[in-house]
Amino acid sequence: MTDTGVRGAAKHHGLSAKTLRRLERASGRLASASVTAMEQRLPWFGRLPADQRASILMITQTGAAGFVDWLRDSQEALRLTTEAFRSAPQELSRWVGLRQAVGLVRMAIEVFEEQLPEFAANEAEQAALIEGILRYGREIAFATANSYAAAAEARGAWDARLEALVVDGIVRGDAEEAVLSRAAALGWEPAATATVLVGSPSSDDPPTVVFEVRRLAARVGKPVLLSVQGSRLIIVAGGASEQPVLDKLAVAFGEGPVVAGPTVASLGDAHRSSAEALSGLRAVVGWPAAPRPVRSVDLLPERALSGDAEAERLLIDEIAHPLEAAGPTVLQTVETYLESGGVLETCAKALFVHPNTVRYRLRRATELTGRNPTDPRDALVLRVALTVGRLARARGLW
Protein backbone atom coordinates (compact mmCIF):
# COMPACT_ATOMS: atom_id res chain seq x y z
CA MET A 1 0.00 0.00 0.00
CA THR A 2 1.29 3.46 -0.88
CA ASP A 3 1.80 6.24 1.68
CA THR A 4 -1.27 7.97 0.30
CA GLY A 5 -3.31 4.82 0.78
CA VAL A 6 -2.11 4.47 4.40
CA ARG A 7 -3.00 8.08 5.20
CA GLY A 8 -6.42 7.65 3.56
CA ALA A 9 -7.13 4.51 5.54
CA ALA A 10 -6.21 6.23 8.80
CA LYS A 11 -8.40 9.19 7.98
CA HIS A 12 -11.29 6.86 7.20
CA HIS A 13 -10.96 4.97 10.52
CA GLY A 14 -9.35 2.04 8.72
CA LEU A 15 -12.31 1.58 6.36
CA SER A 16 -11.95 1.05 2.64
CA ALA A 17 -13.52 3.37 0.10
CA LYS A 18 -15.72 0.47 -1.04
CA THR A 19 -17.14 0.00 2.49
CA LEU A 20 -17.82 3.70 2.81
CA ARG A 21 -19.68 3.74 -0.52
CA ARG A 22 -21.81 0.77 0.56
CA LEU A 23 -22.64 2.53 3.81
CA GLU A 24 -23.55 5.70 1.98
CA ARG A 25 -25.95 3.85 -0.33
CA ALA A 26 -27.52 2.01 2.64
CA SER A 27 -27.93 5.05 4.91
CA GLY A 28 -31.60 5.42 4.00
CA ARG A 29 -32.28 1.75 4.75
CA LEU A 30 -30.50 2.01 8.09
CA ALA A 31 -32.56 5.08 9.01
CA SER A 32 -35.80 3.31 8.07
CA ALA A 33 -34.81 0.27 10.13
CA SER A 34 -34.14 2.57 13.10
CA VAL A 35 -37.57 4.19 12.85
CA THR A 36 -39.21 0.75 12.53
CA ALA A 37 -37.46 -0.33 15.74
CA MET A 38 -38.65 2.85 17.46
CA GLU A 39 -42.25 2.03 16.50
CA GLN A 40 -41.92 -1.53 17.79
CA ARG A 41 -39.99 -0.89 21.02
CA LEU A 42 -41.15 2.57 22.15
CA PRO A 43 -44.92 2.64 22.90
CA TRP A 44 -45.12 6.45 23.01
CA PHE A 45 -43.50 6.73 19.56
CA GLY A 46 -46.36 4.88 17.88
CA ARG A 47 -48.84 7.38 19.33
CA LEU A 48 -47.20 10.30 17.54
CA PRO A 49 -49.05 11.69 14.47
CA ALA A 50 -47.81 10.54 11.07
CA ASP A 51 -46.25 13.91 10.22
CA GLN A 52 -44.21 13.90 13.41
CA ARG A 53 -42.98 10.35 12.79
CA ALA A 54 -42.04 11.42 9.25
CA SER A 55 -40.02 14.30 10.68
CA ILE A 56 -38.13 11.90 12.94
CA LEU A 57 -37.43 9.66 9.93
CA MET A 58 -36.01 12.63 8.03
CA ILE A 59 -33.85 13.59 10.99
CA THR A 60 -32.64 10.01 11.37
CA GLN A 61 -31.76 9.87 7.66
CA THR A 62 -29.76 13.08 8.06
CA GLY A 63 -27.96 11.54 11.02
CA ALA A 64 -27.20 8.34 9.10
CA ALA A 65 -25.73 10.30 6.18
CA GLY A 66 -23.75 12.37 8.67
CA PHE A 67 -22.26 9.17 10.12
CA VAL A 68 -20.69 8.30 6.76
CA ASP A 69 -19.29 11.82 6.42
CA TRP A 70 -17.98 11.56 9.96
CA LEU A 71 -16.22 8.29 9.12
CA ARG A 72 -14.52 9.96 6.18
CA ASP A 73 -13.14 12.80 8.32
CA SER A 74 -13.53 12.56 12.09
CA GLN A 75 -11.76 15.90 12.56
CA GLU A 76 -15.00 17.53 11.37
CA ALA A 77 -17.10 15.47 13.80
CA LEU A 78 -18.32 18.30 16.00
CA ARG A 79 -19.26 20.55 13.11
CA LEU A 80 -20.98 17.79 11.17
CA THR A 81 -23.00 16.43 14.08
CA THR A 82 -24.11 19.88 15.15
CA GLU A 83 -25.03 20.77 11.57
CA ALA A 84 -26.82 17.46 11.01
CA PHE A 85 -29.05 17.85 14.05
CA ARG A 86 -29.32 21.63 14.07
CA SER A 87 -33.01 21.61 13.19
CA ALA A 88 -33.93 18.58 15.30
CA PRO A 89 -34.55 20.30 18.66
CA GLN A 90 -36.47 23.11 16.97
CA GLU A 91 -38.95 20.50 15.73
CA LEU A 92 -38.67 17.80 18.33
CA SER A 93 -38.80 19.96 21.44
CA ARG A 94 -42.39 20.90 20.66
CA TRP A 95 -43.62 17.34 21.12
CA VAL A 96 -40.70 15.17 22.31
CA GLY A 97 -38.92 15.73 25.62
CA LEU A 98 -35.17 15.56 26.08
CA ARG A 99 -35.31 12.15 27.76
CA GLN A 100 -37.38 10.79 24.88
CA ALA A 101 -35.03 12.35 22.30
CA VAL A 102 -32.04 10.66 23.96
CA GLY A 103 -34.03 7.41 23.87
CA LEU A 104 -34.48 7.81 20.12
CA VAL A 105 -30.73 8.33 19.67
CA ARG A 106 -30.00 5.24 21.77
CA MET A 107 -32.47 3.16 19.73
CA ALA A 108 -30.92 4.27 16.44
CA ILE A 109 -27.43 3.40 17.70
CA GLU A 110 -28.59 -0.08 18.73
CA VAL A 111 -30.01 -0.71 15.25
CA PHE A 112 -26.78 0.52 13.63
CA GLU A 113 -24.74 -1.76 15.90
CA GLU A 114 -26.86 -4.72 14.82
CA GLN A 115 -26.61 -4.06 11.07
CA LEU A 116 -23.21 -2.43 10.55
CA PRO A 117 -21.16 -5.66 10.73
CA GLU A 118 -22.61 -6.83 7.39
CA PHE A 119 -20.90 -3.91 5.66
CA ALA A 120 -17.43 -4.74 7.02
CA ALA A 121 -14.93 -6.43 4.75
CA ASN A 122 -13.06 -8.01 7.67
CA GLU A 123 -12.91 -8.13 11.47
CA ALA A 124 -10.78 -4.99 11.63
CA GLU A 125 -13.40 -2.99 9.72
CA GLN A 126 -16.15 -4.51 11.86
CA ALA A 127 -14.43 -3.31 15.02
CA ALA A 128 -13.85 0.12 13.46
CA LEU A 129 -17.52 0.45 12.53
CA ILE A 130 -18.74 -0.53 16.03
CA GLU A 131 -16.32 1.88 17.66
CA GLY A 132 -17.29 4.58 15.18
CA ILE A 133 -21.04 4.34 15.77
CA LEU A 134 -20.52 4.47 19.54
CA ARG A 135 -18.37 7.58 19.31
CA TYR A 136 -20.68 9.18 16.77
CA GLY A 137 -23.71 8.38 18.91
CA ARG A 138 -22.03 10.07 21.85
CA GLU A 139 -21.42 13.17 19.75
CA ILE A 140 -25.07 13.18 18.62
CA ALA A 141 -26.36 12.76 22.18
CA PHE A 142 -24.23 15.66 23.42
CA ALA A 143 -25.26 17.85 20.49
CA THR A 144 -28.94 17.07 21.10
CA ALA A 145 -28.65 17.79 24.83
CA ASN A 146 -26.87 21.09 24.15
CA SER A 147 -29.48 22.11 21.59
CA TYR A 148 -32.33 21.25 23.96
CA ALA A 149 -30.62 23.30 26.68
CA ALA A 150 -30.29 26.25 24.30
CA ALA A 151 -33.94 25.92 23.31
CA ALA A 152 -34.97 25.78 26.98
CA GLU A 153 -32.93 28.90 27.73
CA ALA A 154 -34.55 30.69 24.81
CA ARG A 155 -38.02 29.68 26.00
CA GLY A 156 -37.13 30.73 29.53
CA ALA A 157 -35.96 34.13 28.33
CA TRP A 158 -39.15 34.55 26.32
CA ASP A 159 -41.30 33.49 29.27
CA ALA A 160 -39.47 35.98 31.51
CA ARG A 161 -40.14 38.80 29.04
CA LEU A 162 -43.79 37.78 28.70
CA GLU A 163 -44.14 37.59 32.48
CA ALA A 164 -42.68 41.08 32.84
CA LEU A 165 -45.21 42.32 30.28
CA VAL A 166 -48.08 40.75 32.24
CA VAL A 167 -46.98 42.34 35.53
CA ASP A 168 -46.38 45.68 33.82
CA GLY A 169 -49.84 45.45 32.26
CA ILE A 170 -51.36 44.82 35.70
CA VAL A 171 -49.57 47.84 37.16
CA ARG A 172 -50.60 50.11 34.26
CA GLY A 173 -54.17 48.81 34.17
CA ASP A 174 -54.10 47.39 30.64
CA ALA A 175 -57.20 45.86 29.14
CA GLU A 176 -58.26 42.72 30.96
CA GLU A 177 -58.26 40.59 27.80
CA ALA A 178 -54.62 41.43 27.01
CA VAL A 179 -53.46 40.60 30.53
CA LEU A 180 -55.40 37.35 30.70
CA SER A 181 -54.30 36.11 27.27
CA ARG A 182 -50.63 36.70 28.06
CA ALA A 183 -50.97 35.11 31.49
CA ALA A 184 -52.69 32.09 29.95
CA ALA A 185 -49.62 31.56 27.74
CA LEU A 186 -47.63 31.26 30.98
CA GLY A 187 -50.00 28.65 32.38
CA TRP A 188 -51.87 30.94 34.78
CA GLU A 189 -55.28 29.70 35.88
CA PRO A 190 -57.81 32.37 34.76
CA ALA A 191 -60.17 31.74 37.70
CA ALA A 192 -57.45 31.95 40.37
CA THR A 193 -57.62 34.78 42.88
CA ALA A 194 -54.69 37.20 42.95
CA THR A 195 -52.87 39.30 45.54
CA VAL A 196 -50.18 41.84 44.66
CA LEU A 197 -47.20 42.37 46.97
CA VAL A 198 -44.69 45.18 46.51
CA GLY A 199 -41.41 46.06 48.16
CA SER A 200 -37.68 46.28 47.52
CA PRO A 201 -35.81 43.45 45.73
CA SER A 202 -33.42 41.42 47.86
CA SER A 203 -30.55 41.73 45.35
CA ASP A 204 -29.27 43.91 42.52
CA ASP A 205 -29.13 40.75 40.37
CA PRO A 206 -32.64 40.08 38.92
CA PRO A 207 -32.02 36.34 38.25
CA THR A 208 -31.12 35.88 41.92
CA VAL A 209 -34.34 37.60 42.94
CA VAL A 210 -36.40 35.49 40.55
CA PHE A 211 -34.84 32.26 41.84
CA GLU A 212 -35.56 33.16 45.46
CA VAL A 213 -39.17 34.09 44.75
CA ARG A 214 -39.73 30.89 42.76
CA ARG A 215 -38.20 28.83 45.55
CA LEU A 216 -40.43 30.34 48.21
CA ALA A 217 -43.52 30.13 45.99
CA ALA A 218 -42.86 26.43 45.38
CA ARG A 219 -42.50 25.91 49.11
CA VAL A 220 -45.92 27.42 49.84
CA GLY A 221 -47.46 25.83 46.75
CA LYS A 222 -48.68 29.07 45.15
CA PRO A 223 -48.29 30.22 41.52
CA VAL A 224 -46.65 33.61 41.15
CA LEU A 225 -45.92 36.22 38.51
CA LEU A 226 -43.12 38.64 39.28
CA SER A 227 -41.15 41.52 37.87
CA VAL A 228 -38.22 43.59 39.10
CA GLN A 229 -38.96 47.19 38.13
CA GLY A 230 -35.95 49.24 39.13
CA SER A 231 -35.92 49.61 42.90
CA ARG A 232 -39.14 47.69 43.50
CA LEU A 233 -40.16 44.06 43.28
CA ILE A 234 -43.75 43.23 42.34
CA ILE A 235 -45.17 39.77 43.02
CA VAL A 236 -48.62 38.59 41.98
CA ALA A 237 -49.53 35.59 44.14
CA GLY A 238 -52.26 33.26 42.89
CA GLY A 239 -54.74 31.31 44.96
CA ALA A 240 -56.04 32.09 48.41
CA SER A 241 -53.48 34.31 50.11
CA GLU A 242 -53.83 33.84 53.84
CA GLN A 243 -51.55 35.82 56.13
CA PRO A 244 -49.11 32.87 56.69
CA VAL A 245 -48.62 32.63 52.91
CA LEU A 246 -47.93 36.35 52.63
CA ASP A 247 -45.52 36.16 55.56
CA LYS A 248 -43.47 33.50 53.77
CA LEU A 249 -43.46 35.33 50.43
CA ALA A 250 -42.36 38.53 52.18
CA VAL A 251 -39.03 36.83 52.93
CA ALA A 252 -38.19 37.16 49.22
CA PHE A 253 -38.10 40.96 49.51
CA GLY A 254 -35.15 43.04 50.62
CA GLU A 255 -34.99 45.37 53.57
CA GLY A 256 -37.81 47.82 54.11
CA PRO A 257 -41.59 47.58 54.13
CA VAL A 258 -43.64 45.10 52.13
CA VAL A 259 -47.24 45.97 51.27
CA ALA A 260 -49.93 43.53 50.12
CA GLY A 261 -52.95 44.76 48.22
CA PRO A 262 -56.41 43.23 48.61
CA THR A 263 -57.06 39.74 47.29
CA VAL A 264 -59.16 40.05 44.13
CA ALA A 265 -61.34 37.49 42.36
CA SER A 266 -59.14 37.05 39.28
CA LEU A 267 -56.08 38.33 37.48
CA GLY A 268 -58.34 40.63 35.48
CA ASP A 269 -58.99 42.61 38.68
CA ALA A 270 -55.36 42.57 39.82
CA HIS A 271 -54.84 46.21 38.83
CA ARG A 272 -56.92 47.24 41.83
CA SER A 273 -54.75 45.15 44.14
CA SER A 274 -51.64 46.60 42.51
CA ALA A 275 -52.83 50.20 42.76
CA GLU A 276 -53.64 49.87 46.45
CA ALA A 277 -50.40 48.06 47.23
CA LEU A 278 -48.31 50.74 45.49
CA SER A 279 -50.27 53.48 47.23
CA GLY A 280 -49.58 51.76 50.52
CA LEU A 281 -45.88 51.47 49.71
CA ARG A 282 -45.69 55.23 49.16
CA ALA A 283 -47.53 55.96 52.42
CA VAL A 284 -46.15 53.27 54.73
CA VAL A 285 -43.36 55.59 55.82
CA GLY A 286 -46.01 57.35 57.91
CA TRP A 287 -46.39 54.24 60.09
CA PRO A 288 -42.90 53.24 61.28
CA ALA A 289 -44.27 50.36 63.35
CA ALA A 290 -46.18 48.78 60.45
CA PRO A 291 -45.93 44.97 60.31
CA ARG A 292 -44.18 43.24 57.42
CA PRO A 293 -46.02 42.56 55.27
CA VAL A 294 -48.79 45.06 55.92
CA ARG A 295 -52.10 45.03 54.12
CA SER A 296 -52.89 48.14 52.12
CA VAL A 297 -56.26 48.39 53.86
CA ASP A 298 -54.43 48.80 57.17
CA LEU A 299 -52.69 51.89 55.75
CA LEU A 300 -55.86 53.81 54.91
CA PRO A 301 -55.04 56.77 57.22
CA GLU A 302 -51.54 57.22 55.81
CA ARG A 303 -52.79 56.78 52.26
CA ALA A 304 -55.54 59.32 52.74
CA LEU A 305 -53.11 61.82 54.24
CA SER A 306 -50.82 61.36 51.23
CA GLY A 307 -53.67 62.26 48.88
CA ASP A 308 -55.00 58.85 47.82
CA ALA A 309 -58.61 59.46 46.76
CA GLU A 310 -59.39 55.72 46.83
CA ALA A 311 -58.30 55.54 50.48
CA GLU A 312 -60.55 58.50 51.30
CA ARG A 313 -63.48 56.77 49.61
CA LEU A 314 -62.86 53.54 51.52
CA LEU A 315 -62.66 55.38 54.84
CA ILE A 316 -65.99 57.07 54.11
CA ASP A 317 -67.75 53.96 52.81
CA GLU A 318 -66.46 51.55 55.43
CA ILE A 319 -66.33 53.75 58.55
CA ALA A 320 -67.80 57.24 58.39
CA HIS A 321 -70.98 56.30 56.55
CA PRO A 322 -71.83 53.19 58.67
CA LEU A 323 -71.34 55.19 61.87
CA GLU A 324 -73.63 57.98 60.66
CA ALA A 325 -76.21 55.49 59.44
CA ALA A 326 -76.27 53.86 62.89
CA GLY A 327 -77.69 57.00 64.44
CA PRO A 328 -76.39 60.04 66.30
CA THR A 329 -75.79 58.28 69.62
CA VAL A 330 -73.19 55.81 68.28
CA LEU A 331 -71.41 58.46 66.20
CA GLN A 332 -71.42 60.97 69.06
CA THR A 333 -70.12 58.35 71.48
CA VAL A 334 -67.21 57.44 69.21
CA GLU A 335 -66.31 61.09 68.62
CA THR A 336 -66.50 61.93 72.33
CA TYR A 337 -64.51 58.84 73.29
CA LEU A 338 -61.73 59.78 70.84
CA GLU A 339 -61.71 63.42 72.00
CA SER A 340 -61.47 62.30 75.66
CA GLY A 341 -58.22 60.48 74.91
CA GLY A 342 -59.81 57.07 75.24
CA VAL A 343 -60.80 57.47 78.90
CA LEU A 344 -64.08 55.65 79.40
CA GLU A 345 -65.21 57.51 82.54
CA THR A 346 -64.46 60.93 81.04
CA CYS A 347 -66.48 60.01 77.95
CA ALA A 348 -69.41 58.79 80.10
CA LYS A 349 -69.45 62.03 82.12
CA ALA A 350 -69.38 64.16 78.98
CA LEU A 351 -72.36 62.26 77.58
CA PHE A 352 -74.19 62.02 80.94
CA VAL A 353 -74.51 58.22 80.60
CA HIS A 354 -73.31 55.19 82.51
CA PRO A 355 -69.86 53.76 81.48
CA ASN A 356 -71.57 50.49 80.53
CA THR A 357 -73.65 52.44 78.01
CA VAL A 358 -70.45 53.77 76.50
CA ARG A 359 -69.03 50.24 76.32
CA TYR A 360 -72.15 48.99 74.56
CA ARG A 361 -72.07 51.80 71.99
CA LEU A 362 -68.34 51.25 71.33
CA ARG A 363 -68.97 47.55 70.75
CA ARG A 364 -71.68 48.52 68.30
CA ALA A 365 -69.24 50.78 66.46
CA THR A 366 -66.74 47.91 66.29
CA GLU A 367 -69.38 45.64 64.77
CA LEU A 368 -70.24 48.26 62.15
CA THR A 369 -66.72 49.23 61.10
CA GLY A 370 -64.44 46.39 62.13
CA ARG A 371 -62.40 48.97 64.08
CA ASN A 372 -62.21 48.91 67.87
CA PRO A 373 -62.06 52.44 69.33
CA THR A 374 -60.20 51.13 72.40
CA ASP A 375 -57.30 49.96 70.21
CA PRO A 376 -54.76 52.77 69.59
CA ARG A 377 -54.27 51.95 65.90
CA ASP A 378 -57.98 51.53 65.22
CA ALA A 379 -58.65 54.75 67.09
CA LEU A 380 -56.35 56.58 64.63
CA VAL A 381 -58.17 55.00 61.68
CA LEU A 382 -61.54 56.06 63.11
CA ARG A 383 -60.35 59.61 63.80
CA VAL A 384 -58.97 60.06 60.27
CA ALA A 385 -62.07 58.49 58.73
CA LEU A 386 -64.39 60.87 60.56
CA THR A 387 -62.21 63.83 59.58
CA VAL A 388 -62.16 62.77 55.93
CA GLY A 389 -65.94 62.35 56.07
CA ARG A 390 -66.45 65.88 57.39
CA LEU A 391 -64.16 67.34 54.72
CA ALA A 392 -65.92 65.42 51.97
CA ARG A 393 -69.31 66.63 53.20
CA ALA A 394 -68.06 70.20 53.31
CA ARG A 395 -66.97 69.92 49.66
CA GLY A 396 -70.34 68.50 48.71
CA LEU A 397 -68.90 65.07 47.88
CA TRP A 398 -71.00 63.21 50.39
Side-chain angles (χ1 to χ4, degrees), residues 1 5 8-24 67 70-71 112-113 115-134:
M1 181 181 296
K11 187 176 183 180
H12 298 162
H13 296 268
L15 300 173
S16 65
K18 180 179 179 180
T19 299
L20 290 173
R21 285 194 298 270
R22 292 178 61 199
L23 281 173
E24 189 171 21
F67 175 55
W70 184 84
L71 288 173
F112 272 60
E113 283 187 90
Q115 300 196 18
L116 281 177
E118 68 180 74
F119 297 95
N122 50 51
E123 292 184 359
E125 284 196 347
Q126 181 176 334
L129 285 172
I130 298 301
E131 179 185 358
I133 191 57
L134 293 177

Side-chain angles (χ1 to χ4, degrees), residues 3-258:
D3 290 344
T4 302
V6 172
R7 287 195 301 269
K11 187 176 183 180
H12 298 162
H13 296 268
L15 300 173
S16 65
K18 180 179 179 180
T19 299
L20 290 173
R21 285 194 298 270
R22 292 178 61 199
L23 281 173
E24 189 171 21
R25 288 193 295 269
S27 60
R29 176 167 63 86
L30 290 171
S32 299
S34 299
V35 173
T36 299
M38 295 171 190
E39 293 175 341
Q40 295 174 349
R41 304 178 195 178
L42 299 176
W44 62 266
F45 184 84
R47 294 193 292 269
L48 291 176
D51 59 330
Q52 296 178 2
R53 293 199 303 272
S55 296
I56 292 178
L57 174 59
M58 182 183 67
I59 293 168
T60 307
Q61 289 174 337
T62 304
F67 175 55
V68 179
D69 292 335
W70 184 84
L71 288 173
R72 286 196 173 99
D73 189 355
S74 61
Q75 293 179 356
E76 297 293 323
L78 182 59
R79 182 185 65 81
L80 289 172
T81 53
T82 302
E83 188 71 20
F85 275 70
R86 181 176 57 183
S87 63
Q90 297 174 358
E91 297 178 7
L92 287 176
S93 61
R94 298 191 185 98
W95 24 268
V96 176
L98 175 58
R99 181 176 298 180
Q100 293 173 319
V102 173
L104 295 177
V105 174
R106 181 184 294 111
M107 185 65 62
I109 292 173
E110 290 178 357
V111 172
F112 272 60
E113 283 187 90
E114 294 171 358
Q115 300 196 18
L116 281 177
E118 68 180 74
F119 297 95
N122 50 51
E123 292 184 359
E125 284 196 347
Q126 181 176 334
L129 285 172
I130 298 301
E131 179 185 358
I133 191 57
L134 293 177
R135 291 175 58 191
Y136 180 73
R138 182 183 62 186
E139 299 280 0
I140 289 294
F142 280 135
T144 302
N146 286 335
S147 297
Y148 264 78
E153 289 179 358
R155 285 194 301 270
W158 168 251
D159 287 349
R161 290 193 294 270
L162 183 59
E163 184 175 7
L165 284 174
V166 172
V167 176
D168 184 61
I170 290 173
V171 172
R172 292 188 293 109
D174 285 355
E176 179 179 343
E177 294 78 7
V179 171
L180 291 178
S181 63
R182 291 170 179 168
L186 295 170
W188 185 273
E189 174 57 45
T193 59
T195 306
V196 177
L197 295 92
V198 296
S200 301
S202 59
S203 171
D204 294 333
D205 181 37
T208 301
V209 176
V210 171
F211 174 79
E212 180 64 15
V213 174
R214 298 276 186 229
R215 183 183 67 83
L216 291 171
R219 181 175 297 179
V220 299
K222 299 294 182 182
V224 295
L225 299 170
L226 69 145
S227 176
V228 179
Q229 299 183 344
S231 61
R232 68 188 185 189
L233 167 63
I234 300 177
I235 299 177
V236 183
S241 297
E242 304 84 358
Q243 192 60 40
V245 173
L246 298 182
D247 291 341
K248 292 177 180 177
L249 289 178
V251 177
F253 290 86
E255 296 182 358
V258 177

